[in-house]
């Protein structure tokens, strides 16, 4: 949705709120004030916030009520005015009012407050569910030692946090594992699942991710990491993962699975959980049976969900372990208790004994170019990052400081170089049928490099770059130009496309990427990866595809869950509210070997200096539920 559309939606909501308040008997001044707050709340939600902090209304206009002089409201005044409107409830008396104001002066749309409360209740229930039978199992300790033996040699006696995370998940029923790319999250989960299957060969395990692309990549990664397991365990590992929507089964009435109709599973593992928004996280976790384990994987430093909330970042904010947990983990892994020292929390939370941070990356060294730049960006060290980039001491990290409104030719040339292997692979089959071997080689070549953009629109956005790269690709391949009649179709051999809508009949999902290549009759078909198909790819006619777009360039959001040998990151000409250190960190860490940044120095500095801030009350709801939990019996599996 565009900013202009968000504005129209907010203005319409404000008018509705004013009419509703007037119908409840509010004075004209109170109705006008609550309308202003409603507009601000609608805009806040469109920017990813779950709620509106009343302090942000400090610069609001003055409001007159009856014969009283117009005045500017302070926070106490706003609170009194909103509660006097007749359409703002409180947590203790929500009623059917459209807005809720909590004790900490957060204003919510009613449904978002309800999502927070429900999610906090389900998480607290999971945290207190008893699963400590595994702690005293000598067989489990032996299994953990065996599965993580490869780590022991390189850790030189230091605590193995992968092993400890698996043990924590076996000890409890809620585990949140946060780590950057290459920190071993998948390896940890494979070994955890092996332990669960060793304890219970009939354990029902569901694997899920927010997007089809992330789900497919999760399946492939688990299959690759499971090669070290004994055959009897490897054969019982889950063979497929699903999108969250497919797991919950979307129906015209909503999700088929919910708290009243839970999933038939004993464990749920969700990858790329940082992409879960508040509503989807609530629906998903409520559908998990009370005695099932929940394991959420992600990177707390990556971009948050496109929709409202930053659920994963909040759930992983406190990696504190209580003395009881440390004692149990020491017994389960043989690690000395004094070696089990988690990092200091970013903020205290009620979800202690549930979160683990992985900080050791095995994809690239911390002092490598990518590792250094990612570290500076993540820490907000804009001056240090820019000075280092300007020095150009690492050939694997380059910066093209291209001022606004100047030619992008140097950047386009770098993109041509990045896609050179891909063009050569396509050229080999451009005039003949692409067999399974050629399709796999072409897909592999395309997967080595990607152009990532912060924005969709504008001269440095996805749409403009895809148009430019399409022209350059056609020219390099000797194909007719788009202005010539024979080239009226957007299709050509080597066109990469990204699916934009889910199609459950074709088993194509938002974010899936396919490549158009000729068959034996010269007809172009779009080839999508499919491990169950002969040769590992399915060919689909272009006319059958759901909504799609060319994919030489993609947004950073769409790249989450992917990795490439090299990336070129294109930032916009001017600062933007979406341009944050989390976006830049996410784009940089998609690369395994090479990164090129295209950005004006001022824009780059602003991006690194700007941290994502999303207003939410989830931590407060968790604290409330934790307090209430002391008066409720712990949930114990039968």
């Amino acid at each position: 949705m565009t900013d202009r559309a968000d504005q129209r939606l907010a203005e319409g909501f404000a008018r509705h709120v004013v009419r509703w308040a007037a119908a409840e008997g509010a004075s004209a001044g109170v109705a006008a004030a609550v309308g202003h707050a409603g507009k601000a709340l609608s805009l806040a939600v469109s920017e990813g916030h779950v709620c509106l902090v009343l302090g942000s209304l400090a610069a609001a206009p003055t409001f007159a009520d009856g014969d009283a002089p117009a005045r500017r409201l302070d926070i106490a005044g706003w609170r009194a005015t909103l509660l006097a409107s007749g359409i703002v409830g409180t947590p203790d008396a929500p009623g059917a009012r459209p807005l809720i104001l909590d004790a900490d002066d957060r204003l919510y749309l009613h449904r978002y407050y309800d999502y927070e409360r429900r999610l906090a209740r389900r998480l607290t229930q999971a945290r207190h569910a008893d699963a400590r039978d595994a702690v005293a199992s000598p067989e489990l300790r032996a299994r953990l030692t065996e599965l993580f033996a490869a780590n022991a040699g390189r850790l030189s006696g230091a605590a193995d946090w992968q092993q400890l995370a698996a043990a924590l998940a076996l000890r409890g029923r809620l585990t949140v594992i946060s780590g950057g790319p290459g920190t071993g999250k998948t390896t940890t989960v494979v070994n955890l699942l092996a332990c669960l299957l060793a304890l219970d060969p009939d354990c029902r395990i569901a694997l899920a991710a927010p997007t089809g692309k992330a789900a497919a990549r999760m399946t492939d990664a688990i299959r690759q990491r499971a090669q070290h397991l004994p055959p009897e365990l490897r054969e019982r590992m889950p063979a497929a993962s699903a999108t969250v929507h497919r797991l919950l089964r979307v129906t015209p009435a909503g999700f088929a699975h919910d708290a009243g109709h839970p999933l038939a599973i004993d464990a749920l593992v969700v990858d790329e959980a940082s992409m879960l928004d508040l509503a989807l996280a609530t629906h998903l976790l409520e559908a998990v049976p009370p005695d099932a384990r929940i394991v959420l994987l992600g990177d707390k430093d990556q971009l948050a969900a496109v929709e409202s909330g930053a659920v994963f970042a909040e759930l992983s904010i406190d990696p504190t372990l209580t003395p009881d947990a440390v004692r149990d983990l020491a017994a389960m892994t043989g690690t000395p208790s004094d070696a089990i020292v988690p990092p200091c929390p970013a903020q205290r939370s009620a979800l202690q004994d549930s979160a683990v941070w992985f900080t050791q990356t095995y994809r690239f060294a911390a002092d490598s170019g990518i590792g250094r730049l990612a570290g500076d960006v993540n820490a907000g060290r804009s001056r240090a990052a820019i000075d280092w980039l300007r020095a150009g001491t690492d050939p694997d990290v380059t910066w093209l400081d291209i001022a606004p409104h100047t030619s992008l030719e140097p950047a386009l040339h770098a993109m041509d170089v990045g896609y050179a292997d891909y063009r050569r692979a396509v050229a080999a089959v451009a005039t003949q049928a692409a067999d399974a071997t050629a399709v796999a080689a072409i897909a592999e070549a395309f997967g080595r490099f990607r152009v990532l953009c912060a924005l969709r629109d504008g001269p440095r956005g996805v749409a403009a770059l895809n148009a430019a790269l399409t022209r350059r690709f056609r020219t390099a391949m000797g194909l007719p130009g788009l202005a010539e009649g024979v080239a009226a179709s957007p299709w050509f051999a080597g066109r990469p496309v990204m699916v934009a809508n889910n199609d459950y009949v074709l088993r194509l999902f938002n974010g899936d990427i396919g490549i158009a290549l000729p068959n034996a009759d010269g007809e172009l078909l779009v080839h999508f990866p499919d491990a169950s198909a002969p040769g590992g790819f399915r060919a689909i006619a272009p006319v059958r595809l759901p909504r799609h777009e060319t994919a030489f360039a993609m947004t950073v959001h769409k790249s989450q869950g992917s990795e490439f040998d090299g990336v070129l990151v294109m930032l916009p000409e001017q600062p933007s509210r979406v341009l944050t250190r989390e976006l830049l960190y996410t784009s940089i860490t998609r690369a395994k070997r090479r990164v090129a940044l295209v950005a004006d120095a001022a824009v780059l500095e602003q991006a690194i200096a700007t941290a994502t801030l999303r207003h939410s009350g989830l931590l407060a709801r968790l604290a409330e539920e934790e307090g209430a939990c002391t008066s409720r019996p712990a949930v114990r599996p039968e």
Side-chain angles (χ1 to χ4, degrees):
M1 185 178 291
T2 66
D3 290 343
R4 187 175 299 174
D6 291 340
Q7 187 74 21
R8 289 199 300 269
L9 180 63
E11 291 168 352
F13 181 69
R15 290 192 294 270
H16 183 71
V17 163
V18 169
R19 288 194 297 269
W20 197 334
E24 292 294 321
S27 66
V30 168
V34 77
H36 179 86
K39 178 181 177 180
L41 174 58
S42 178
L43 289 172
V45 170
S46 72
E47 293 177 1
H49 301 290
V50 175
C51 56
L52 177 73
V53 178
L54 290 192
S56 65
L57 294 173
T62 58
F63 296 97
D65 198 6
D67 295 331
R71 63 190 179 95
R72 194 178 304 280
L73 299 175
D74 58 13
I75 292 178
W78 271 111
R79 185 173 186 88
T81 299
L82 292 170
L83 292 177
S85 69
I87 65 169
V88 179
T90 65
D92 294 332
R97 297 175 178 88
L99 304 177
I100 299 292
L101 182 62
D102 78 359
D104 296 315
D105 298 320
R106 300 183 190 93
L107 183 65
Y108 291 85
L109 295 173
H110 194 131
R111 68 177 180 275
Y112 282 106
Y113 176 80
D114 188 53
Y115 282 141
E116 272 196 354
R117 179 186 56 78
R118 287 160 50 191
L119 180 58
R121 181 166 297 172
R122 180 64 186 92
L123 289 164
T124 303
Q125 178 193 55
R127 178 179 179 267
H128 286 277
D130 188 2
R132 294 185 68 254
D133 292 347
V135 173
S137 169
E139 294 82 5
L140 183 57
R141 174 172 174 171
R143 181 74 66 176
L144 283 168
T145 300
E146 175 190 356
L147 289 170
F148 289 95
N151 288 354
R154 61 173 176 255
L155 288 171
S156 303
D160 181 356
W161 282 99
Q162 292 183 20
Q163 184 189 47
L164 290 168
L168 190 68
L170 292 164
R171 176 187 184 268
R173 299 194 181 273
L174 173 66
T175 310
V176 183
I177 302 175
S178 173
T183 52
K185 298 189 296 291
T186 304
T187 299
T188 301
V189 165
V190 166
N191 291 341
L192 167 63
L193 298 185
C195 288
L196 292 175
L197 291 167
L199 290 171
D200 177 9
D202 297 320
C203 184
R204 299 167 299 174
I205 299 167
L207 306 179
T211 67
K213 178 179 61 177
R217 188 167 176 271
M218 182 186 191
T219 304
D220 292 341
I222 286 179
R223 185 184 302 113
Q224 293 168 11
R225 300 295 195 283
Q227 295 306 307
H228 69 289
L229 298 178
E232 67 274 10
L233 288 178
R234 189 167 63 243
E235 290 169 4
R236 290 204 298 270
M237 294 292 286
S241 56
T243 64
V244 173
H245 286 82
R246 190 164 195 174
L247 181 69
L248 296 179
R249 285 182 47 212
V250 180
T251 72
F255 292 118
H257 291 290
D258 54 23
H261 305 87
L263 296 159
I265 59 174
D266 301 306
L268 170 68
V269 179
V270 184
D271 199 12
E272 298 295 340
S274 61
M275 299 169 70
L276 290 174
D277 60 78
L278 175 63
L280 188 57
T282 302
H283 287 298
L284 174 61
L285 297 195
E286 283 188 333
V288 179
D291 59 346
R293 282 181 171 83
I294 299 168
V295 180
L296 305 178
L297 309 173
D299 185 347
K300 62 182 177 59
D301 298 316
Q302 276 194 31
L303 282 166
V306 175
E307 303 297 333
S308 296
V311 172
F312 186 82
E314 291 176 290
L315 300 189
S316 58
I317 205 167
D318 186 356
T320 301
L321 297 173
T322 61
D324 284 349
V326 170
R327 184 185 63 249
D328 289 345
L329 296 182
M332 296 172 73
T333 65
T335 307
S337 295
D338 58 5
I340 304 176
V341 182
C344 293
Q347 183 178 336
R348 289 292 182 182
S349 157
L351 285 185
Q352 295 182 355
D353 297 340
S354 301
V356 179
W357 296 354
F358 288 174
T359 57
Q360 175 65 51
T361 179
Y362 302 100
R363 178 181 294 181
F364 40 75
D367 60 352
S368 70
I370 296 175
R372 173 169 178 165
L373 180 59
D376 282 345
V377 169
N378 200 17
R381 296 188 289 263
S382 56
R383 192 71 265 155
I386 289 176
D387 287 347
W388 181 77
L389 286 168
R390 186 167 279 126
T393 56
D394 191 317
D396 292 331
V397 180
T398 57
W399 175 29
L400 298 176
D401 185 359
I402 301 179
H405 313 300
T406 57
S407 173
L408 286 176
E409 184 56 34
L412 292 169
H413 175 72
M415 297 176 206
D416 291 339
V417 173
Y419 282 123
D421 287 348
Y422 177 63
R423 284 197 309 275
R424 283 191 286 269
V426 172
V429 299
T431 58
Q432 62 188 40
D435 60 19
T437 301
V439 171
I442 290 168
E444 192 274 334
F446 184 67
R448 292 181 207 147
F449 177 77
R450 201 58 42 89
V451 176
L452 305 180
C453 301
L455 302 177
R456 290 193 55 81
D457 301 319
R460 301 189 184 188
V462 168
L465 290 182
N466 272 324
L469 289 169
T470 294
R471 290 192 296 270
R472 296 169 80 94
F473 185 89
R474 296 181 70 103
T475 299
M477 297 290 291
L479 297 172
L482 292 176
E484 300 175 38
V486 294
S489 168
W491 292 99
F492 55 89
R495 182 193 180 195
V497 295
M498 176 184 290
V499 173
N501 285 351
N502 294 338
D503 188 320
Y504 290 98
V505 174
L506 290 177
R507 291 181 290 119
L508 292 177
F509 304 98
N510 186 3
D512 286 354
I513 290 180
I515 298 172
L517 296 168
N519 65 7
D521 298 323
E523 177 187 10
L524 289 177
L525 299 175
V526 186
H527 297 258
F528 290 90
D530 185 343
S532 65
F537 288 84
R538 278 188 301 135
I540 299 174
V543 295
R544 299 187 63 200
L545 295 183
R547 190 167 62 88
H548 56 274
E549 58 190 23
T550 302
F552 287 114
M554 61 198 296
T555 62
V556 177
H557 274 96
K558 289 286 189 180
S559 75
Q560 285 183 270
S562 300
E563 62 180 27
F564 312 97
D565 286 351
V567 299
L568 184 144
V569 181
M570 178 71 74
L571 300 189
E573 291 183 317
Q574 304 295 334
S576 164
R577 65 181 176 85
V578 305
L579 201 53
T580 63
R581 75 178 57 149
E582 288 80 7
L583 182 139
L584 190 54
Y585 167 84
T586 301
S587 64
I588 291 166
T589 55
R590 297 311 89 205
K592 294 187 288 185
R593 296 185 176 88
R594 296 175 304 280
V595 170
L597 284 173
V598 181
D600 175 70
V603 173
L604 181 59
E605 183 172 8
Q606 182 258 348
I608 299 173
T610 304
T612 297
L613 174 63
R614 288 199 167 181
H615 295 303
S616 160
L618 181 57
L619 294 180
R621 305 288 86 79
L622 285 166
E624 293 163 3
E625 286 297 323
E626 183 66 22
C629 190
T630 58
S631 63
R632 296 197 297 261
V635 177
R636 296 178 182 271
E638 298 179 358

